[in-house]
Amino acid sequence: MESRQALLHRMVTPEHICPFGIKSLELLERAGYQVDDHQLTTRSEVDAFMEEEGVQTTPQTYIDGQRIGGYDELVVFLGEK
């Protein structure tokens, strides 16, 4: 069986660990994805990522090179709700 891959960008700073990033990671793992968990560890990394990707929030999930979006979009994509 071929493993499914996902890329997750989420905020994990000393001041704040995004709860939606944790939920996204758990959801992907439960769905059988191997997750490349890219942690954004400073505010400047978070800001640079959001500017580069043209998004306003983290986490952001990518599957097969396609941006799925944040946690709510991931739930819909995986058919969880």
XYZ file of all heavy atoms in Angstrom:
648
model
N 0.842 -1.184 0.000
C 0.000 0.000 0.000
C 0.886 1.245 0.000
O 1.836 1.347 0.758
C -0.902 -0.020 1.233
C -1.855 1.138 1.279
S -3.055 0.911 2.610
C -2.731 2.363 3.569
N 0.542 2.172 -0.824
C 1.306 3.414 -0.944
C 0.980 4.339 0.222
O -0.188 4.500 0.584
C 0.923 4.086 -2.271
C 1.695 5.337 -2.573
C 1.281 5.934 -3.901
O 0.988 5.181 -4.830
O 1.250 7.164 -3.985
N 2.013 4.923 0.834
C 1.740 5.833 1.947
C 1.319 7.188 1.407
O 1.805 7.648 0.381
C 2.961 5.959 2.853
O 3.995 6.642 2.201
N 0.399 7.790 2.113
C -0.074 9.120 1.730
C 0.720 10.149 2.513
O 0.980 9.973 3.697
C -1.569 9.241 2.011
C -2.358 8.217 1.202
C -3.837 8.396 1.326
N -4.287 8.146 2.682
C -5.528 8.381 3.104
N -6.426 8.862 2.271
N -5.878 8.132 4.343
N 1.105 11.212 1.823
C 1.960 12.240 2.405
C 1.189 13.555 2.548
O 0.407 13.907 1.673
C 3.172 12.496 1.507
C 4.022 11.271 1.239
C 4.826 10.853 2.451
O 5.398 11.687 3.126
N 4.876 9.565 2.705
N 1.456 14.248 3.632
C 0.887 15.575 3.844
C 1.973 16.471 4.418
O 2.852 16.018 5.144
C -0.306 15.520 4.784
N 1.901 17.740 4.075
C 2.794 18.754 4.621
C 1.945 19.699 5.466
O 0.930 20.208 4.987
C 3.471 19.523 3.481
C 4.308 20.735 3.853
C 5.465 20.352 4.758
C 4.808 21.433 2.600
N 2.340 19.877 6.711
C 1.599 20.733 7.628
C 2.519 21.839 8.130
O 3.613 21.567 8.621
C 1.089 19.901 8.813
C 0.362 20.651 9.928
C -0.938 21.270 9.411
C 0.095 19.723 11.100
N 2.079 23.070 7.971
C 2.778 24.229 8.537
C 1.929 24.713 9.700
O 0.763 25.056 9.502
C 2.910 25.361 7.498
C 3.847 25.033 6.388
N 5.165 25.411 6.406
C 3.663 24.374 5.229
C 5.750 24.997 5.300
N 4.852 24.358 4.576
N 2.531 24.735 10.908
C 1.762 25.155 12.081
C 2.631 25.947 13.046
O 3.850 25.804 13.066
C 1.136 23.956 12.786
C 2.142 22.994 13.388
C 1.441 21.727 13.898
N 2.388 20.808 14.486
C 2.541 20.604 15.793
N 1.794 21.272 16.656
N 3.427 19.744 16.242
N 1.968 26.780 13.835
C 2.659 27.651 14.781
C 2.966 26.903 16.078
O 2.073 26.372 16.729
C 1.793 28.869 15.103
C 2.468 29.841 16.053
S 1.389 31.190 16.624
C 0.932 31.960 15.098
N 4.252 26.862 16.414
C 4.713 26.284 17.675
C 5.798 27.210 18.215
O 6.976 27.008 17.965
C 5.267 24.851 17.472
C 5.734 24.268 18.807
C 4.240 23.942 16.825
N 5.366 28.262 18.910
C 6.316 29.216 19.481
C 6.327 29.049 21.003
O 5.409 28.448 21.565
C 5.935 30.671 19.129
O 4.717 31.013 19.809
C 5.772 30.870 17.631
N 7.349 29.584 21.666
C 7.364 29.500 23.129
C 6.126 30.146 23.760
O 5.668 29.723 24.807
C 8.632 30.258 23.524
C 9.515 30.150 22.321
C 8.578 30.178 21.136
N 5.568 31.138 23.091
C 4.411 31.857 23.624
C 3.091 31.173 23.292
O 2.101 31.366 23.989
C 4.344 33.291 23.072
C 5.550 34.145 23.377
C 6.712 33.908 22.415
O 6.473 33.541 21.256
O 7.862 34.074 22.852
N 3.056 30.407 22.197
C 1.769 29.881 21.735
C 1.958 28.639 20.872
O 2.716 28.665 19.909
C 1.034 30.951 20.919
C -0.292 30.518 20.409
N -1.387 30.363 21.232
C -0.707 30.195 19.169
C -2.419 29.969 20.499
N -2.031 29.861 19.255
N 1.251 27.584 21.228
C 1.156 26.407 20.361
C -0.275 26.372 19.862
O -1.215 26.259 20.650
C 1.506 25.107 21.112
C 2.960 25.158 21.587
C 1.273 23.890 20.220
C 3.379 23.982 22.442
N -0.437 26.505 18.578
C -1.767 26.615 17.989
C -2.565 25.320 18.194
O -2.152 24.260 17.739
C -1.641 26.921 16.504
S -3.238 26.977 15.674
N -3.714 25.407 18.871
C -4.516 24.205 19.081
C -5.045 23.614 17.777
O -5.215 22.395 17.663
C -5.653 24.671 19.995
C -5.704 26.156 19.847
C -4.310 26.596 19.485
N -5.304 24.453 16.781
C -5.791 23.941 15.502
C -4.682 23.223 14.737
O -4.948 22.317 13.950
C -6.424 25.053 14.666
C -7.729 25.506 15.259
C -7.796 26.678 15.984
C -8.869 24.740 15.117
C -8.992 27.093 16.558
C -10.077 25.137 15.676
C -10.136 26.321 16.400
N -3.434 23.610 14.989
C -2.311 22.884 14.405
C -2.208 21.485 14.981
O -1.987 20.511 14.252
N -2.392 21.373 16.294
C -2.367 20.059 16.945
C -3.518 19.202 16.428
O -3.341 18.026 16.098
C -2.443 20.223 18.483
C -1.175 20.901 18.997
C -2.655 18.867 19.163
C -1.267 21.350 20.443
N -4.701 19.794 16.326
C -5.868 19.058 15.833
C -5.672 18.615 14.386
O -6.061 17.502 14.015
C -7.131 19.927 15.972
C -7.536 20.144 17.419
C -8.574 21.221 17.553
C -9.961 20.703 17.306
N -11.006 21.686 17.626
N -5.069 19.472 13.570
C -4.806 19.112 12.170
C -3.838 17.942 12.094
O -4.048 17.003 11.320
C -4.239 20.309 11.402
O -5.198 21.327 11.276
N -2.771 17.989 12.891
C -1.786 16.916 12.910
C -2.445 15.595 13.308
O -2.255 14.567 12.653
C -0.649 17.267 13.870
C 0.456 16.230 14.041
C 1.160 15.944 12.719
C 1.452 16.696 15.093
N -3.236 15.618 14.369
C -3.907 14.404 14.832
C -4.879 13.870 13.786
O -4.967 12.663 13.556
C -4.634 14.679 16.150
C -3.677 14.918 17.305
C -4.368 15.401 18.571
O -5.569 15.758 18.532
O -3.691 15.418 19.622
N -5.614 14.760 13.140
C -6.579 14.364 12.111
C -5.879 13.693 10.929
O -6.318 12.640 10.452
C -7.355 15.604 11.649
C -8.550 15.405 10.747
C -9.605 14.536 11.412
C -9.146 16.765 10.402
N -4.781 14.283 10.486
C -4.021 13.706 9.370
C -3.463 12.330 9.732
O -3.557 11.388 8.936
C -2.887 14.646 8.962
C -3.308 15.896 8.197
C -2.205 16.937 8.230
C -3.698 15.540 6.769
N -2.907 12.218 10.925
C -2.337 10.936 11.341
C -3.420 9.871 11.461
O -3.229 8.729 11.043
C -1.564 11.098 12.657
C -0.267 11.866 12.453
C 0.483 12.156 13.739
O -0.127 12.096 14.844
O 1.694 12.451 13.646
N -4.583 10.236 12.012
C -5.698 9.297 12.114
C -6.175 8.837 10.740
O -6.619 7.702 10.580
C -6.866 9.950 12.856
C -7.140 9.354 14.186
C -8.425 9.752 14.863
N -9.210 10.843 14.347
C -9.144 12.095 14.777
N -8.303 12.439 15.719
N -9.944 13.017 14.269
N -6.070 9.736 9.756
C -6.508 9.413 8.394
C -5.447 8.631 7.626
O -5.643 8.289 6.458
C -6.869 10.699 7.641
N -4.316 8.337 8.274
C -3.296 7.494 7.658
C -2.226 8.217 6.867
O -1.506 7.604 6.091
N -2.104 9.524 7.070
C -1.084 10.294 6.360
C 0.238 10.273 7.119
O 0.251 10.329 8.350
C -1.524 11.754 6.182
C -2.533 11.930 5.086
C -3.890 11.776 5.337
C -2.141 12.243 3.792
C -4.830 11.925 4.330
C -3.061 12.396 2.774
C -4.401 12.235 3.054
O -5.332 12.381 2.054
N 1.336 10.216 6.369
C 2.665 10.491 6.909
C 2.801 12.013 6.831
O 2.692 12.582 5.751
C 3.753 9.833 6.052
C 3.740 8.335 6.092
C 4.282 7.797 7.400
O 5.016 8.465 8.108
N 3.906 6.570 7.720
N 3.019 12.650 7.964
C 2.985 14.112 8.010
C 4.386 14.692 8.157
O 5.123 14.339 9.071
C 2.103 14.601 9.181
C 2.043 16.123 9.208
C 0.701 14.004 9.082
N 4.737 15.580 7.223
C 5.932 16.401 7.354
C 5.491 17.617 8.167
O 4.859 18.526 7.641
C 6.453 16.804 5.968
C 7.695 17.682 6.051
O 8.166 17.980 7.166
O 8.196 18.078 4.979
N 5.743 17.573 9.461
C 5.258 18.569 10.408
C 6.244 19.728 10.470
O 7.251 19.668 11.171
C 5.090 17.896 11.772
C 4.541 18.830 12.827
O 3.971 19.879 12.473
O 4.674 18.488 14.019
N 5.949 20.779 9.714
C 6.842 21.941 9.657
C 6.386 22.957 10.696
O 5.360 23.614 10.529
C 6.832 22.556 8.258
C 7.841 23.638 8.098
N 9.161 23.399 7.807
C 7.728 24.974 8.231
C 9.818 24.541 7.755
N 8.965 25.509 8.009
N 7.148 23.061 11.775
C 6.785 23.959 12.864
C 7.394 25.341 12.657
O 8.597 25.466 12.440
C 7.237 23.355 14.193
C 6.564 22.026 14.467
C 7.003 21.412 15.776
O 7.720 22.017 16.572
N 6.558 20.189 16.018
N 6.523 26.332 12.709
C 6.940 27.726 12.612
C 7.180 28.198 14.039
O 6.241 28.289 14.836
C 5.852 28.550 11.926
C 5.444 28.023 10.537
C 4.148 28.669 10.073
C 6.551 28.225 9.535
N 8.448 28.459 14.383
C 8.805 28.620 15.791
C 9.002 30.058 16.258
O 9.251 30.283 17.432
C 10.079 27.813 16.110
O 11.141 28.291 15.284
C 9.867 26.332 15.870
N 8.892 31.016 15.349
C 8.976 32.423 15.750
C 7.879 33.198 15.036
O 7.364 32.779 13.993
C 10.331 33.060 15.374
O 10.443 33.086 13.942
C 11.511 32.302 15.971
N 7.539 34.330 15.590
C 6.519 35.178 14.965
C 6.968 35.588 13.561
O 6.160 35.639 12.636
C 6.283 36.422 15.837
C 5.197 37.338 15.338
C 3.846 36.742 15.655
N 3.115 36.524 14.415
C 1.911 35.980 14.349
N 1.299 35.582 15.441
N 1.322 35.814 13.203
N 8.260 35.856 13.385
C 8.736 36.270 12.062
C 8.619 35.122 11.058
O 8.297 35.354 9.885
C 10.159 36.820 12.122
O 11.060 35.839 12.582
N 8.855 33.875 11.481
C 8.647 32.725 10.584
C 7.180 32.597 10.193
O 6.862 32.334 9.031
C 9.078 31.410 11.252
C 10.544 31.120 11.199
C 10.866 29.727 11.764
O 9.946 28.983 12.170
O 12.058 29.396 11.787
N 6.291 32.765 11.163
C 4.853 32.685 10.890
C 4.454 33.764 9.892
O 3.786 33.496 8.883
C 4.032 32.823 12.194
C 2.548 32.950 11.896
C 4.298 31.641 13.122
N 4.879 34.997 10.158
C 4.527 36.119 9.278
C 5.083 35.924 7.873
O 4.393 36.170 6.879
C 5.028 37.441 9.868
C 4.274 37.837 11.129
O 3.176 37.279 11.392
O 4.792 38.695 11.871
N 6.336 35.471 7.769
C 6.948 35.248 6.455
C 6.214 34.144 5.694
O 5.961 34.273 4.489
C 8.423 34.890 6.612
N 5.856 33.068 6.382
C 5.119 31.984 5.744
C 3.769 32.484 5.213
O 3.411 32.220 4.069
C 4.894 30.820 6.727
C 3.921 29.804 6.210
C 4.315 28.880 5.249
C 2.611 29.774 6.649
C 3.409 27.949 4.746
C 1.711 28.855 6.159
C 2.105 27.938 5.202
N 3.024 33.214 6.045
C 1.702 33.689 5.636
C 1.811 34.644 4.440
O 1.008 34.572 3.512
C 0.968 34.333 6.810
C 0.558 33.314 7.857
S -0.576 33.917 9.134
C 0.332 35.286 9.838
N 2.822 35.503 4.458
C 3.000 36.431 3.339
C 3.381 35.676 2.061
O 2.822 35.923 0.997
C 4.066 37.468 3.675
C 4.246 38.506 2.580
C 5.228 39.590 2.950
O 5.385 39.907 4.141
O 5.853 40.131 2.020
N 4.307 34.738 2.176
C 4.773 33.982 1.019
C 3.648 33.151 0.390
O 3.540 33.061 -0.825
C 5.914 33.063 1.452
C 6.523 32.256 0.328
C 7.689 31.421 0.838
O 8.630 32.005 1.402
O 7.625 30.190 0.673
N 2.812 32.565 1.228
C 1.739 31.693 0.740
C 0.438 32.438 0.460
O -0.504 31.852 -0.076
C 1.480 30.565 1.747
C 2.644 29.603 1.866
C 2.923 28.859 0.575
O 1.979 28.355 -0.063
O 4.114 28.788 0.186
N 0.369 33.701 0.862
C -0.849 34.483 0.631
C -2.020 34.015 1.487
O -3.168 34.039 1.038
N -1.719 33.583 2.707
C -2.767 33.131 3.617
C -2.778 34.017 4.850
O -1.808 34.718 5.129
C -2.574 31.642 4.018
C -2.679 30.745 2.799
C -1.231 31.422 4.722
N -3.884 33.959 5.603
C -3.993 34.822 6.772
C -3.944 34.057 8.087
O -3.974 34.668 9.150
C -5.277 35.645 6.686
C -5.256 36.550 5.477
C -6.326 37.617 5.538
O -7.080 37.707 6.490
N -6.365 38.444 4.512
N -3.902 32.719 7.999
C -3.894 31.916 9.218
C -2.971 30.715 9.076
O -2.620 30.303 7.976
C -5.304 31.381 9.546
O -5.738 30.549 8.467
C -6.293 32.506 9.770
N -2.600 30.172 10.214
C -1.987 28.865 10.279
C -2.872 28.060 11.224
O -3.554 28.647 12.060
C -0.540 28.929 10.829
O -0.554 29.462 12.141
C 0.362 29.723 9.910
N -2.908 26.761 11.107
C -2.101 25.895 10.261
C -2.575 25.921 8.810
O -3.694 26.338 8.518
C -2.339 24.506 10.865
C -3.746 24.584 11.378
C -3.889 25.994 11.914
N -1.698 25.430 7.934
C -2.034 25.211 6.530
C -1.548 23.817 6.158
O -0.419 23.449 6.467
C -1.373 26.256 5.625
C -1.921 27.657 5.785
C -3.346 27.791 5.288
O -3.720 27.250 4.250
N -4.173 28.514 6.036
N -2.416 23.062 5.502
C -2.099 21.696 5.099
C -2.003 21.621 3.587
O -2.816 22.225 2.883
C -3.190 20.714 5.596
O -3.251 20.781 7.012
C -2.882 19.286 5.168
N -1.017 20.849 3.115
C -0.807 20.608 1.685
C -0.784 19.100 1.457
O -0.095 18.376 2.174
C 0.523 21.210 1.225
C 0.590 22.708 1.398
C 0.846 23.271 2.646
C 0.396 23.555 0.317
C 0.896 24.643 2.816
C 0.455 24.940 0.480
C 0.701 25.473 1.724
O 0.745 26.832 1.888
N -1.529 18.647 0.465
C -1.542 17.235 0.092
C -1.341 17.173 -1.417
O -2.034 17.861 -2.160
C -2.856 16.555 0.513
C -2.987 16.571 2.049
C -2.918 15.121 -0.023
C -4.303 16.070 2.587
N -0.391 16.356 -1.837
C -0.045 16.238 -3.262
C 0.260 17.597 -3.884
O -0.124 17.883 -5.015
C -1.165 15.549 -4.046
C -1.354 14.102 -3.620
O -0.350 13.461 -3.227
O -2.495 13.608 -3.688
N 0.950 18.463 -3.124
C 1.349 19.767 -3.633
C 0.233 20.786 -3.698
O 0.451 21.922 -4.117
N -0.966 20.409 -3.284
C -2.115 21.315 -3.344
C -2.438 21.812 -1.939
O -2.506 21.017 -0.996
C -3.321 20.577 -3.918
C -4.598 21.371 -3.880
C -5.805 20.544 -4.332
O -5.655 19.496 -4.927
N -6.986 21.028 -4.032
N -2.649 23.115 -1.814
C -3.023 23.657 -0.502
C -4.469 23.306 -0.209
O -5.372 23.631 -0.969
C -2.838 25.178 -0.444
C -3.069 25.739 0.969
C -2.728 27.214 1.066
N -3.649 28.035 0.323
C -4.843 28.439 0.779
N -5.256 28.097 1.977
N -5.620 29.197 0.039
N -4.678 22.615 0.899
C -6.019 22.272 1.342
C -6.606 23.428 2.134
O -7.763 23.776 1.979
C -6.005 20.985 2.212
C -5.353 19.825 1.456
C -7.399 20.630 2.706
C -5.963 19.506 0.107
N -5.783 24.021 2.996
C -6.223 25.159 3.794
C -6.005 24.894 5.262
O -5.170 24.082 5.658
N -6.809 25.578 6.078
C -6.708 25.459 7.526
C -7.456 24.247 8.052
O -7.886 23.372 7.298
N -7.643 24.221 9.361
C -8.262 23.066 10.001
C -9.664 22.790 9.462
O -9.998 21.653 9.131
C -8.314 23.265 11.530
C -9.046 22.151 12.226
C -8.465 20.896 12.375
C -10.335 22.349 12.717
C -9.144 19.861 12.996
C -11.017 21.319 13.342
C -10.419 20.078 13.474
O -11.102 19.060 14.076
N -10.497 23.824 9.363
C -11.872 23.614 8.896
C -11.908 23.029 7.486
O -12.700 22.128 7.199
C -12.673 24.918 8.934
C -12.950 25.392 10.363
O -12.889 24.562 11.296
O -13.219 26.595 10.542
N -11.050 23.525 6.614
C -10.991 22.996 5.244
C -10.468 21.559 5.231
O -10.917 20.733 4.428
C -10.101 23.877 4.360
C -10.660 25.266 4.087
C -10.375 26.277 5.189
O -9.654 25.970 6.156
O -10.898 27.402 5.083
N -9.543 21.250 6.124
C -9.018 19.900 6.223
C -10.105 18.925 6.655
O -10.214 17.813 6.116
C -7.839 19.862 7.204
C -7.175 18.493 7.404
C -6.605 17.951 6.098
C -6.096 18.597 8.468
N -10.914 19.331 7.622
C -12.028 18.486 8.075
C -12.943 18.143 6.894
O -13.311 16.984 6.699
C -12.811 19.185 9.206
C -14.139 18.487 9.482
C -11.980 19.260 10.478
N -13.284 19.141 6.101
C -14.155 18.925 4.940
C -13.463 18.037 3.921
O -14.047 17.076 3.403
C -14.570 20.280 4.305
C -15.287 20.061 2.980
C -15.435 21.072 5.272
N -12.191 18.303 3.622
C -11.438 17.541 2.642
C -11.387 16.055 3.010
O -11.515 15.186 2.152
C -9.999 18.096 2.539
C -9.126 17.352 1.581
C -9.157 17.605 0.217
C -8.255 16.363 2.037
C -8.344 16.927 -0.680
C -7.431 15.661 1.157
C -7.490 15.937 -0.196
N -11.200 15.770 4.291
C -11.105 14.379 4.743
C -12.458 13.751 5.013
O -12.544 12.583 5.370
C -10.224 14.292 5.999
C -8.761 14.677 5.805
C -8.027 14.641 7.139
C -8.076 13.766 4.797
N -13.521 14.562 4.850
C -14.869 14.017 5.052
C -15.190 13.694 6.494
O -15.942 12.771 6.773
N -14.611 14.473 7.405
C -14.810 14.207 8.834
C -16.115 14.768 9.370
O -16.546 14.411 10.429
C -13.627 14.763 9.643
C -12.334 14.036 9.412
C -12.316 12.637 10.022
O -12.755 12.469 11.174
O -11.882 11.712 9.327
N -16.720 15.710 8.655
C -17.987 16.282 9.133
C -19.002 16.266 8.038
O -18.722 16.353 6.888
C -17.774 17.733 9.603
C -17.149 17.788 10.974
C -17.163 19.197 11.490
C -16.504 19.270 12.844
N -16.365 20.603 13.348
